[in-house]
């Protein structure tokens, strides 16, 4: 009998980033992470995703922690495991485009502080918004993984994904990720997609999905059988719902097959035991809403990511118009089509969702257009896969439409580092502080004040700087 060729599937563990971002609003602290790192380091994960996404903003804003300090502590603890971060292309970890010099410096500092793999994506899949980050990552000898935001729609054919995969390979990426942020990829389609990408490119393929619509584990099974190299999973206490499939379940699924991960369930059980009390505490305190743990099939009906659904509900609640929920959900795909059919992921999901709410509440479509909708139509976020609806462009922009751009948006930005450096020099204690400030000026300044007060025991708000007298 012919010997079975072993093709172990690799596992990227998301517990330290996407799992707690998806289930408890990114509130896990560094103190909660550190005690388990030694055990996690022995498992043999392909990588641990532990930084980027919303963790940076949340650390400064809500946890009063320095995200750079967190990264250095994680790097010290993980001796054998690659560390991975999520990076929004030209948006870095913010919500608008930054100049190239800021992007390059951020990549340089991320790798210098301990990141091995940078997963880089753009909400429109506009590769021009990825190139600077990819080049910077390669220059620093990091692993540049380009993620394509997966979505459904007339434009998103297998030929489209094939073409995109070739472009990603040509731009110098080291691996390709299918980023299914809304849990839209169903098992049979995953099989087709992975086979198509495998024909188009020689890059390793990583699949990232969310359990929101209830099919993710089956999707992983079919994808791996079709040749997918890496899957993203979360240790069971923070798995399922709007998070990823459970690590232990996927390890067990492939056990004894050619795709056997080789990971040890006993080690995984110890890690799960460590995080379980955190889950219980989050449920008890209301930080984890049981609603995010169920299956939401509306995701597939309206192609709306889980986080976007809860956003829409809260926007309608504020207006006392919850009865308009179904109407708004039906309006979302229409707005998305008008705006060139973009994938719905930060920030395009917020732009489309808010506009849909306005269209329904005003009783007339585009009677009011948000600044972000205008910017999208002016090309300030990049190029969409389909052209905009010309009637909507006319109604929203009028004569302003002549100001629309077709170049890469960041080409219009002046270098920014020196300016940021100058603005925040009184707070600077490490080179990285200028980057925290560049991305979140207000939030970072508040954090710097807090940090100073902690270090000196003095509250700068009450310090009598004039006479040099400090009430402690």
């Amino acid at each position: 009998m012919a010997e079975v060729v072993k093709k172990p599937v690799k596992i990227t563990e998301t517990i330290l980033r996407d799992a707690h971002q998806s289930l408890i609003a990114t509130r896990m602290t560094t103190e909660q992470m550190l005690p388990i790192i030694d055990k996690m380091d022995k498992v043999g994960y392909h990588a641990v995703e532990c930084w980027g996404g919303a963790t940076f903003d949340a650390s400064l804003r809500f946890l009063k922690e320095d995200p750079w300090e967190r990264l250095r502590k994680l790097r010290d603890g993980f001796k054998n495991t690659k560390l991975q971060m999520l990076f929004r292309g030209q948006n870095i970890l913010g919500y608008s485009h930054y100049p190239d010099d800021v992007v390059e410096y951020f990549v340089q500092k991320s790798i210098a502080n301990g990141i091995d793999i940078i997963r880089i994506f753009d909400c429109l899949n506009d590769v021009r918004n990825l190139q600077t980050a990819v080049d910077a990552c390669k220059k620093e000898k990091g692993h540049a993984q380009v993620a394509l935001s997966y979505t459904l729609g007339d434009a998103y054919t297998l030929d489209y994904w094939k073409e995109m995969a070739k472009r990603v390979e040509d731009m110098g990426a080291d691996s390709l990720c299918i980023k299914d942020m809304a849990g839209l990829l169903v098992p049979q389609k995953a099989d087709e997609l992975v086979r198509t990408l495998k024909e188009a490119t020689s890059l390793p393929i990583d699949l990232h999905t969310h359990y929101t619509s209830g099919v993710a584990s089956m999707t992983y099974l079919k994808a791996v059988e079709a040749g997918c190299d890496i899957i993203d999973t979360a240790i069971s206490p923070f798995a399922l719902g709007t998070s990823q499939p459970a690590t232990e379940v996927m390890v067990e699924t492939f056990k004894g097959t050619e795709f056997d991960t080789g990971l040890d369930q006993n080690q995984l059980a110890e890690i799960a035991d460590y995080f379980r009390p955190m889950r219980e505490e989050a449920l008890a305190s209301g930080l984890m809403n049981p609603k995010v743990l169920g299956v939401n099939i509306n995701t597939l009906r309206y192609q709306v990511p889980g986080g976007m659904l809860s956003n829409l509900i809260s926007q309608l609640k504020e207006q006392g118009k919850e009865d308009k929920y179904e109407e708004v959900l039906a309006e979302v795909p229409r707005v998305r089509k008008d705006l060139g059919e973009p994938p719905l992921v930060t920030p395009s999901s917020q732009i489309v969702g808010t506009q849909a709410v306005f269209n329904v509440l005003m009783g007339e479509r585009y009677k009011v257009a948000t600044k972000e909708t205008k910017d999208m139509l002016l090309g300030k976020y990049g190029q969409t896969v389909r052209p905009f609806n010309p009637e909507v462009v006319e109604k929203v922009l009028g004569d302003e439409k002549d100001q629309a751009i077709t170049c890469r948006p960041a080409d219009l930005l002046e270098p920014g580092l020196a300016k940021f450096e100058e603005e925040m020099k009184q707070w600077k204690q490490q080179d990285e502080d200028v980057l925290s400030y560049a991305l979140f000026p207000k939030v970072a300044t508040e954090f710097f004040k807090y940090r100073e007060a902690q270090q000196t025991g003095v509250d700068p708000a009450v310090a009598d700087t004039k006479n040099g007298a400090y009430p402690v």
Side-chain angles (χ1 to χ4, degrees), residues 13 15-16 28 32-33 35-45 48 78 234-238 247-248 263-278:
E13 174 61 66
I15 178 66
L16 302 184
M28 196 183 289
Q32 289 176 303
M33 297 175 181
I36 193 64
I37 285 180
D38 192 45
K39 282 191 173 143
M40 286 180 71
D41 195 34
K42 295 188 170 81
V43 169
Y45 289 121
V48 170
F78 281 107
I235 203 79
S236 55
F238 282 86
T247 307
E248 305 95 309
L263 303 194
D264 180 345
Q265 288 288 16
N266 294 325
Q267 287 177 313
L268 295 174
E270 286 184 39
I271 297 167
D273 288 344
Y274 176 79
F275 285 106
R276 201 164 289 112
M278 273 184 227

Short mmCIF file of all heavy atoms in Angstrom, two decimals, residues 13 15-16 28 32-33 35-45 48 78 234-238 247-248 263-278:
data_model
loop_
_atom_site.label_atom_id
_atom_site.label_comp_id
_atom_site.label_asym_id
_atom_site.label_seq_id
_atom_site.Cartn_x
_atom_site.Cartn_y
_atom_site.Cartn_z
N GLU A 13 -3.17 30.59 16.46
CA GLU A 13 -4.04 30.78 17.63
C GLU A 13 -4.39 32.26 17.79
O GLU A 13 -3.50 33.11 17.79
CB GLU A 13 -3.32 30.26 18.89
CG GLU A 13 -4.02 30.50 20.21
CD GLU A 13 -5.39 29.84 20.29
OE1 GLU A 13 -5.46 28.59 20.29
OE2 GLU A 13 -6.39 30.59 20.38
N ILE A 15 -6.38 33.65 20.38
CA ILE A 15 -6.91 34.02 21.71
C ILE A 15 -6.40 35.39 22.19
O ILE A 15 -7.12 36.14 22.84
CB ILE A 15 -6.57 32.92 22.77
CG1 ILE A 15 -7.07 33.31 24.17
CG2 ILE A 15 -5.09 32.63 22.86
CD1 ILE A 15 -8.55 33.38 24.33
N LEU A 16 -5.16 35.75 21.84
CA LEU A 16 -4.61 37.00 22.37
C LEU A 16 -4.94 38.22 21.50
O LEU A 16 -4.53 39.34 21.82
CB LEU A 16 -3.09 36.89 22.55
CG LEU A 16 -2.61 35.76 23.47
CD1 LEU A 16 -1.10 35.80 23.66
CD2 LEU A 16 -3.31 35.81 24.83
N MET A 28 -9.04 42.15 27.10
CA MET A 28 -8.08 41.33 27.85
C MET A 28 -6.81 42.13 28.11
O MET A 28 -6.27 42.76 27.20
CB MET A 28 -7.76 40.04 27.07
CG MET A 28 -7.11 38.98 27.94
SD MET A 28 -6.67 37.50 26.99
CE MET A 28 -8.27 36.79 26.65
N GLN A 32 -3.37 39.57 32.25
CA GLN A 32 -4.13 38.33 32.09
C GLN A 32 -3.44 37.37 31.11
O GLN A 32 -3.60 36.16 31.20
CB GLN A 32 -5.55 38.63 31.59
CG GLN A 32 -6.43 39.29 32.65
CD GLN A 32 -7.80 39.66 32.10
OE1 GLN A 32 -7.90 40.39 31.12
NE2 GLN A 32 -8.85 39.15 32.70
N MET A 33 -2.66 37.92 30.19
CA MET A 33 -2.02 37.09 29.17
C MET A 33 -0.74 36.41 29.66
O MET A 33 -0.46 35.27 29.33
CB MET A 33 -1.66 37.95 27.94
CG MET A 33 -2.86 38.57 27.25
SD MET A 33 -2.33 39.70 25.92
CE MET A 33 -3.93 40.27 25.35
N PRO A 35 0.72 35.00 32.39
CA PRO A 35 0.95 33.73 33.10
C PRO A 35 0.85 32.48 32.23
O PRO A 35 1.40 31.44 32.57
CB PRO A 35 -0.14 33.73 34.18
CG PRO A 35 -0.52 35.16 34.36
CD PRO A 35 -0.36 35.79 33.01
N ILE A 36 0.15 32.55 31.09
CA ILE A 36 -0.08 31.33 30.30
C ILE A 36 0.88 31.22 29.10
O ILE A 36 0.93 30.20 28.42
CB ILE A 36 -1.56 31.29 29.82
CG1 ILE A 36 -1.96 29.90 29.26
CG2 ILE A 36 -1.82 32.36 28.75
CD1 ILE A 36 -1.93 28.79 30.28
N ILE A 37 1.66 32.25 28.88
CA ILE A 37 2.51 32.29 27.67
C ILE A 37 3.47 31.11 27.60
O ILE A 37 3.67 30.52 26.55
CB ILE A 37 3.28 33.62 27.63
CG1 ILE A 37 2.31 34.72 27.22
CG2 ILE A 37 4.44 33.56 26.65
CD1 ILE A 37 2.93 36.07 27.14
N ASP A 38 4.06 30.77 28.72
CA ASP A 38 5.04 29.68 28.74
C ASP A 38 4.41 28.39 28.20
O ASP A 38 5.01 27.68 27.39
CB ASP A 38 5.55 29.49 30.18
CG ASP A 38 6.77 28.59 30.19
OD1 ASP A 38 7.66 28.79 29.32
OD2 ASP A 38 6.83 27.66 31.02
N LYS A 39 3.18 28.10 28.64
CA LYS A 39 2.49 26.89 28.16
C LYS A 39 2.12 27.01 26.68
O LYS A 39 2.25 26.05 25.92
CB LYS A 39 1.23 26.63 28.99
CG LYS A 39 1.57 26.01 30.34
CD LYS A 39 0.36 25.50 31.08
CE LYS A 39 0.84 24.75 32.33
NZ LYS A 39 -0.03 24.97 33.47
N MET A 40 1.65 28.19 26.28
CA MET A 40 1.27 28.37 24.88
C MET A 40 2.49 28.21 23.97
O MET A 40 2.38 27.71 22.85
CB MET A 40 0.65 29.78 24.67
CG MET A 40 -0.75 29.91 25.23
SD MET A 40 -1.42 31.58 24.97
CE MET A 40 -1.69 31.58 23.19
N ASP A 41 3.63 28.62 24.48
CA ASP A 41 4.86 28.58 23.68
C ASP A 41 5.31 27.15 23.37
O ASP A 41 6.05 26.90 22.43
CB ASP A 41 5.96 29.35 24.42
CG ASP A 41 7.15 29.67 23.52
OD1 ASP A 41 6.92 29.91 22.31
OD2 ASP A 41 8.29 29.68 24.00
N LYS A 42 4.86 26.19 24.19
CA LYS A 42 5.30 24.80 24.03
C LYS A 42 4.39 24.00 23.09
O LYS A 42 4.67 22.86 22.74
CB LYS A 42 5.34 24.11 25.39
CG LYS A 42 6.40 24.71 26.32
CD LYS A 42 6.57 23.89 27.61
CE LYS A 42 7.78 24.34 28.42
NZ LYS A 42 7.50 25.53 29.22
N VAL A 43 3.24 24.58 22.68
CA VAL A 43 2.24 23.82 21.92
C VAL A 43 2.73 23.46 20.51
O VAL A 43 2.46 22.37 20.00
CB VAL A 43 0.93 24.64 21.83
CG1 VAL A 43 -0.03 24.02 20.81
CG2 VAL A 43 0.27 24.71 23.20
N GLY A 44 3.43 24.41 19.86
CA GLY A 44 3.83 24.17 18.48
C GLY A 44 2.89 24.83 17.49
O GLY A 44 2.71 24.35 16.36
N TYR A 45 2.29 25.94 17.91
CA TYR A 45 1.46 26.72 16.99
C TYR A 45 2.31 27.23 15.83
O TYR A 45 3.49 27.52 16.00
CB TYR A 45 0.89 27.96 17.69
CG TYR A 45 -0.17 27.71 18.73
CD1 TYR A 45 0.00 28.13 20.05
CD2 TYR A 45 -1.38 27.10 18.38
CE1 TYR A 45 -0.98 27.93 21.00
CE2 TYR A 45 -2.38 26.90 19.34
CZ TYR A 45 -2.17 27.32 20.65
OH TYR A 45 -3.16 27.13 21.58
N VAL A 48 1.07 32.87 16.89
CA VAL A 48 0.05 33.36 17.81
C VAL A 48 -0.25 34.80 17.40
O VAL A 48 0.65 35.64 17.36
CB VAL A 48 0.53 33.31 19.28
CG1 VAL A 48 -0.44 34.06 20.19
CG2 VAL A 48 0.65 31.86 19.74
N PHE A 78 7.42 34.46 24.57
CA PHE A 78 7.35 33.48 23.47
C PHE A 78 8.73 33.28 22.87
O PHE A 78 9.17 34.04 22.03
CB PHE A 78 6.37 33.96 22.39
CG PHE A 78 4.92 33.73 22.72
CD1 PHE A 78 4.10 34.78 23.08
CD2 PHE A 78 4.38 32.45 22.68
CE1 PHE A 78 2.76 34.58 23.38
CE2 PHE A 78 3.04 32.23 22.99
CZ PHE A 78 2.22 33.30 23.34
N ALA A 234 -9.38 29.57 17.79
CA ALA A 234 -9.31 30.17 19.13
C ALA A 234 -9.50 29.08 20.17
O ALA A 234 -10.35 28.20 20.00
CB ALA A 234 -10.40 31.23 19.29
N ILE A 235 -8.75 29.14 21.25
CA ILE A 235 -8.90 28.14 22.32
C ILE A 235 -10.35 28.19 22.83
O ILE A 235 -10.95 29.26 22.91
CB ILE A 235 -7.85 28.36 23.44
CG1 ILE A 235 -7.60 27.08 24.23
CG2 ILE A 235 -8.21 29.51 24.36
CD1 ILE A 235 -6.70 26.09 23.56
N SER A 236 -10.94 27.02 23.17
CA SER A 236 -12.39 26.88 23.30
C SER A 236 -13.14 27.90 24.18
O SER A 236 -14.23 28.31 23.81
CB SER A 236 -12.76 25.45 23.71
OG SER A 236 -12.05 25.10 24.88
N PRO A 237 -12.62 28.33 25.35
CA PRO A 237 -13.44 29.28 26.13
C PRO A 237 -13.74 30.58 25.39
O PRO A 237 -14.73 31.25 25.70
CB PRO A 237 -12.59 29.54 27.38
CG PRO A 237 -11.71 28.35 27.50
CD PRO A 237 -11.41 27.92 26.10
N PHE A 238 -12.89 30.95 24.42
CA PHE A 238 -13.14 32.17 23.65
C PHE A 238 -13.33 31.86 22.16
O PHE A 238 -12.91 32.61 21.29
CB PHE A 238 -12.01 33.18 23.86
CG PHE A 238 -12.10 33.90 25.18
CD1 PHE A 238 -11.57 33.35 26.33
CD2 PHE A 238 -12.77 35.12 25.26
CE1 PHE A 238 -11.68 34.00 27.55
CE2 PHE A 238 -12.89 35.78 26.48
CZ PHE A 238 -12.35 35.22 27.63
N THR A 247 -9.87 25.71 18.72
CA THR A 247 -8.60 25.05 18.40
C THR A 247 -8.67 23.54 18.63
O THR A 247 -8.33 22.73 17.75
CB THR A 247 -7.46 25.66 19.25
OG1 THR A 247 -7.48 27.08 19.09
CG2 THR A 247 -6.11 25.12 18.83
N GLU A 248 -9.15 23.14 19.83
CA GLU A 248 -9.15 21.71 20.18
C GLU A 248 -10.02 20.90 19.23
O GLU A 248 -9.71 19.76 18.89
CB GLU A 248 -9.68 21.49 21.61
CG GLU A 248 -8.95 22.26 22.69
CD GLU A 248 -9.64 23.58 23.03
OE1 GLU A 248 -9.95 24.36 22.10
OE2 GLU A 248 -9.87 23.84 24.22
N LEU A 263 -0.63 18.59 17.33
CA LEU A 263 -0.73 19.31 18.61
C LEU A 263 -1.31 18.38 19.68
O LEU A 263 -2.09 17.48 19.39
CB LEU A 263 -1.59 20.57 18.47
CG LEU A 263 -1.17 21.61 17.42
CD1 LEU A 263 -1.91 22.92 17.64
CD2 LEU A 263 0.32 21.86 17.41
N ASP A 264 -0.92 18.63 20.93
CA ASP A 264 -1.26 17.76 22.05
C ASP A 264 -2.50 18.29 22.79
O ASP A 264 -2.48 19.39 23.34
CB ASP A 264 -0.05 17.72 22.98
CG ASP A 264 -0.26 16.84 24.20
OD1 ASP A 264 -1.42 16.48 24.49
OD2 ASP A 264 0.73 16.53 24.90
N GLN A 265 -3.56 17.48 22.82
CA GLN A 265 -4.81 17.91 23.48
C GLN A 265 -4.62 18.19 24.97
O GLN A 265 -5.32 19.03 25.53
CB GLN A 265 -5.90 16.83 23.30
CG GLN A 265 -6.47 16.72 21.90
CD GLN A 265 -7.37 17.90 21.50
OE1 GLN A 265 -7.39 18.95 22.13
NE2 GLN A 265 -8.12 17.72 20.42
N ASN A 266 -3.68 17.50 25.61
CA ASN A 266 -3.47 17.75 27.05
C ASN A 266 -2.93 19.15 27.29
O ASN A 266 -3.34 19.85 28.23
CB ASN A 266 -2.51 16.70 27.64
CG ASN A 266 -3.13 15.31 27.61
OD1 ASN A 266 -4.34 15.17 27.78
ND2 ASN A 266 -2.31 14.31 27.36
N GLN A 267 -2.01 19.56 26.41
CA GLN A 267 -1.49 20.93 26.54
C GLN A 267 -2.59 21.95 26.26
O GLN A 267 -2.71 22.96 26.96
CB GLN A 267 -0.33 21.14 25.56
CG GLN A 267 0.95 20.42 25.97
CD GLN A 267 2.05 20.60 24.93
OE1 GLN A 267 1.83 20.45 23.74
NE2 GLN A 267 3.25 20.94 25.39
N LEU A 268 -3.39 21.67 25.25
CA LEU A 268 -4.47 22.60 24.89
C LEU A 268 -5.50 22.68 26.03
O LEU A 268 -6.03 23.75 26.33
CB LEU A 268 -5.16 22.17 23.59
CG LEU A 268 -4.27 22.24 22.34
CD1 LEU A 268 -5.01 21.65 21.13
CD2 LEU A 268 -3.82 23.67 22.03
N ALA A 269 -5.74 21.54 26.69
CA ALA A 269 -6.70 21.51 27.80
C ALA A 269 -6.23 22.41 28.95
O ALA A 269 -7.03 23.10 29.58
CB ALA A 269 -6.89 20.08 28.30
N GLU A 270 -4.93 22.41 29.20
CA GLU A 270 -4.39 23.29 30.27
C GLU A 270 -4.59 24.76 29.93
O GLU A 270 -4.89 25.57 30.80
CB GLU A 270 -2.90 23.00 30.48
CG GLU A 270 -2.62 21.70 31.20
CD GLU A 270 -1.13 21.51 31.48
OE1 GLU A 270 -0.46 22.51 31.82
OE2 GLU A 270 -0.64 20.38 31.34
N ILE A 271 -4.41 25.08 28.63
CA ILE A 271 -4.59 26.48 28.21
C ILE A 271 -6.07 26.86 28.33
O ILE A 271 -6.41 27.94 28.82
CB ILE A 271 -4.06 26.66 26.77
CG1 ILE A 271 -2.55 26.39 26.74
CG2 ILE A 271 -4.36 28.07 26.25
CD1 ILE A 271 -1.97 26.25 25.35
N ALA A 272 -6.95 25.95 27.92
CA ALA A 272 -8.39 26.21 28.03
C ALA A 272 -8.78 26.42 29.49
O ALA A 272 -9.55 27.33 29.82
CB ALA A 272 -9.18 25.06 27.41
N ASP A 273 -8.23 25.58 30.39
CA ASP A 273 -8.53 25.71 31.82
C ASP A 273 -8.13 27.09 32.34
O ASP A 273 -8.79 27.65 33.21
CB ASP A 273 -7.77 24.65 32.64
CG ASP A 273 -8.35 23.25 32.44
OD1 ASP A 273 -9.50 23.17 31.93
OD2 ASP A 273 -7.67 22.26 32.76
N TYR A 274 -7.04 27.60 31.80
CA TYR A 274 -6.55 28.91 32.25
C TYR A 274 -7.53 30.03 31.86
O TYR A 274 -7.80 30.94 32.63
CB TYR A 274 -5.16 29.20 31.67
CG TYR A 274 -4.66 30.59 32.02
CD1 TYR A 274 -4.12 30.84 33.28
CD2 TYR A 274 -4.79 31.64 31.12
CE1 TYR A 274 -3.69 32.13 33.62
CE2 TYR A 274 -4.37 32.93 31.45
CZ TYR A 274 -3.82 33.15 32.71
OH TYR A 274 -3.42 34.43 33.05
N PHE A 275 -8.06 29.94 30.62
CA PHE A 275 -8.93 31.03 30.13
C PHE A 275 -10.39 30.89 30.55
O PHE A 275 -11.15 31.86 30.50
CB PHE A 275 -8.84 31.12 28.59
CG PHE A 275 -7.55 31.74 28.12
CD1 PHE A 275 -6.55 30.96 27.53
CD2 PHE A 275 -7.33 33.11 28.25
CE1 PHE A 275 -5.36 31.53 27.10
CE2 PHE A 275 -6.15 33.69 27.82
CZ PHE A 275 -5.15 32.90 27.25
N ARG A 276 -10.80 29.67 31.01
CA ARG A 276 -12.22 29.47 31.33
C ARG A 276 -12.75 30.42 32.40
O ARG A 276 -13.81 31.02 32.22
CB ARG A 276 -12.47 28.00 31.71
CG ARG A 276 -13.94 27.60 31.56
CD ARG A 276 -14.15 26.10 31.54
NE ARG A 276 -13.67 25.49 30.31
CZ ARG A 276 -12.62 24.67 30.23
NH1 ARG A 276 -11.95 24.34 31.31
NH2 ARG A 276 -12.24 24.17 29.07
N PRO A 277 -12.02 30.63 33.51
CA PRO A 277 -12.54 31.58 34.52
C PRO A 277 -12.71 33.00 33.95
O PRO A 277 -13.61 33.72 34.36
CB PRO A 277 -11.47 31.57 35.61
CG PRO A 277 -10.70 30.32 35.41
CD PRO A 277 -10.78 29.98 33.96
N MET A 278 -11.87 33.38 32.98
CA MET A 278 -12.00 34.70 32.36
C MET A 278 -13.31 34.80 31.60
O MET A 278 -13.97 35.83 31.59
CB MET A 278 -10.85 34.97 31.39
CG MET A 278 -9.63 35.54 32.03
SD MET A 278 -8.41 35.89 30.74
CE MET A 278 -6.99 35.17 31.54
#
